[in-house]
């Protein structure tokens, strides 16, 4: 028996005889589950065979797990939020630290593998998974540490935003996160990050003061305004184009006690009145007030509803004045606006998470909701027996617009709203008719919008439009991409091609 085989079989016997073998998990998998060669695909679509020995080496180098299709946990790990996205990576790495991400990236680069990076899996277009490539699933890389004196939080790259809200609020502090608490910090922040306090404190990415990024050459790079400044600039708006962010440092702001917020719901018949009100008031409202407009029709012809979803986070006493104009709309069906903990408000819409529903979404920024836009929105908003239809505006403006467009890679500082239209249908049923309808509806709306929020863009946006969407920041992004990812290893994103 060769020495290596002997060592392995001895280790296997030891591991198998242990009552709890968790600390030997890595070894146990290495010695008992010879993976065999695995077929995979490269970033440019070529077929490659990953050799058994190389996969075993990768496994050995990890503290986290490596899952192949036959392994327990693979099915769950390959899932993303939108059930329409049903992809099968050749291998899934679940890092527990930056060194694991480094091993995964080095392995992927050596075979030019197609690479996907998943944090919360909320990309509705499926940018965080792939067929036949490597999925780096950051779900084992979660955690938040707060320094209340410095008003800083360090957030691991796979963390969900609800964790950040909870840990920072424990100290009476906050930073901007999105509005559904199981969205990933990784995708949200590298692409933008609108949320209930963004009009006061800026986007999630405006609050990032430093990052650690695992770049395509396998190096962990610290980036901040003083260190790797180009990379720091690009990561704030360029998504995963430059690598995997393993750690974010956020600045925090005081937000103690309760906020005033919730939903005021009206019948859909009042949509014109509510939308016209919103068109005006969303531009005039104080920055402490965040107000979304949401209009929806459930499947089956049930009456639809229109609602305004509010969060007032300013000084006590200011809420009445900020919310008073809503009274002009008359008596609602329900008025859920009340004093509540910020963390509870941040979870209010968690059940809108479309896990059992296929979803297709189109969106675009607006700086003004014109009469033409109101008319087009309302005329086309048709009921359907088999789909839910939704049209909503996420409130922007305020502090977001005070940052110069070229200060970060996120250029859309003019936006007052992010308008989105979405259809959702029972997963597993025919999607074609619903997607076709939304595309038609959106064709009428699109001419009245500006650029796209890359984080919500569907997968069928062409390369020219993706490039143009970076506006004046595109040339600098290309040069940073050339420097940090010349082979375009990280391409499942609003992709900046190094060859442009
Ligand atoms: C229900 C729902 C609610 C939403 N609400 C908001 C909202 O309030 N505000 C808002 O701004 N957006 C919102 N979004 C959009 C959201 O910002 C994007 O879907 C975002 O990409 C989600 O991040 P994620 O980590 O969950 O995504 P994933 O699907 O895991 O990843 C999306 C992209 O981010 C990249 N990525 C993920 N983690 C990292 C990392 N650590 N380093 C580098 N790249 C990484 C991936 O490579 C991929 O390209 C919402 C989306 C959904 C589905």
């Amino acid at each position: 028996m060769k020495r290596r085989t002997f060592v392995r079989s001895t280790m296997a016997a030891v591991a198998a005889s242990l009552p709890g073998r968790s600390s030997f998990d890595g070894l146990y998998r290495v010695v008992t589950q010879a993976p065999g060669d695995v077929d995979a695909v490269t970033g440019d679509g070529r077929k490659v065979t990953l050799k058994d020995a190389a996969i075993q080496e990768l496994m050995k180098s990890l503290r986290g797990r490596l899952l192949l299709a036959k392994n327990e946990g693979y099915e769950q790990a390959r899932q993303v939020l939108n059930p329409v996205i049903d992809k099968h990576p050749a291998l899934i790495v679940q890092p527990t630290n930056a060194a694991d991400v480094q091993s995964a990236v080095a392995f992927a680069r050596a075979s030019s593998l197609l690479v996907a990076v998943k944090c919360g899996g909320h990309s509705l277009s499926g940018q965080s998974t792939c067929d036949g490539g490597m999925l780096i699933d950051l779900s084992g890389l979660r955690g938040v540490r707060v320094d209340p004196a410095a008003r800083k939080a360090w957030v691991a790259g796979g963390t969900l935003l609800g964790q950040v809200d909870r840990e920072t609020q424990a100290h009476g502090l906050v930073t901007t996160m999105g509005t559904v608490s199981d969205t990933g910090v990784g995708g949200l922040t590298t692409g933008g990050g609108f949320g209930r306090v963004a009009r006061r404190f800026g986007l999630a990415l405006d609050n990032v003061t430093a990052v650690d990024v695992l770049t395509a050459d396998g190096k962990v790079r610290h980036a901040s305004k003083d260190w790797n400044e180009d990379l720091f600039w690009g990561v704030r708006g360029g998504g995963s184009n430059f690598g995997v962010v393993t750690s974010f440092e956020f600045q925090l702001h005081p937000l103690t006690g309760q906020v005033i917020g919730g939903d005021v719901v009206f019948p859909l018949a009042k949509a014109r009145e509510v939308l016209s009100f919103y068109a005006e008031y969303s531009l005039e409202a104080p920055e402490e007030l965040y107000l979304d407009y949401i209009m929806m029709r459930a499947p089956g012809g049930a009456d639809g509803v229109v609602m305004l979803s509010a969060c007032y986070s300013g000084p006590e006493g200011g809420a009445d004045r900020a919310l008073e104009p809503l009274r002009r709309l008359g008596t609602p069906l329900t008025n859920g606006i009340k004093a509540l903990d910020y963390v509870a408000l941040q979870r209010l819409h968690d059940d809108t998470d479309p896990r059992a529903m296929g979803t297709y979404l189109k969106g675009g920024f607006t700086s003004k909701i014109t009469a033409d836009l109101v008319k087009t929105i309302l005329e086309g908003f048709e009921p359907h027996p088999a789909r839910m239809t939704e049209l909503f505006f996420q409130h922007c403006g305020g502090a977001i617009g005070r940052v110069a467009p070229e200060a970060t890679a996120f250029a859309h500082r003019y936006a007052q709203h992010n308008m989105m239209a979405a259809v959702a249908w029972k997963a597993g049923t025919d999607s074609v008719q619903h997607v076709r309808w939304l595309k038609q509806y959106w064709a009428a709306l699109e001419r009245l919008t500006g650029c796209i929020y890359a984080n919500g863009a569907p997968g069928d946006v062409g390369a020219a439009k993706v490039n143009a969407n970076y506006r004046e920041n595109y040339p600098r992004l290309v040069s940073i991409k050339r420097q940090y990812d010349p082979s375009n290893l990280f391409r499942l994103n609003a992709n900046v091609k190094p060859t442009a």
Side-chain angles (χ1 to χ4, degrees), residues 15 17-25:
S17 67
L18 291 170
R21 60 177 191 245
S22 60
S23 59
F24 271 75
D25 260 0

Side-chain angles (χ1 to χ4, degrees), residues 128-165:
S128 47
T129 184
C130 59
D131 275 327
M134 173 191 278
L135 168 58
I136 303 177
D137 168 14
L138 300 175
S139 59
L141 196 64
R142 291 187 173 154
V144 180
R145 186 174 77 80
V146 176
D147 178 343
R151 290 190 181 160
K152 289 263 161 93
W154 288 266
V155 177
T159 306
L160 304 182
L161 64 88
Q163 297 173 267
V164 180
D165 289 334

Side-chain angles (χ1 to χ4, degrees), residues 278-313:
Y278 183 76
E280 270 182 35
Y281 192 54
S282 59
L283 299 181
E284 293 162 9
E287 288 174 10
E288 291 82 6
L289 180 65
Y290 166 89
L291 199 62
D292 282 354
Y293 171 92
I294 305 166
M295 178 169 95
M296 55 183 134
R297 282 183 187 277
D303 291 343
V305 292
V306 55
M307 63 191 197
L308 294 175
S309 183
C311 172
Y312 176 84
S313 61

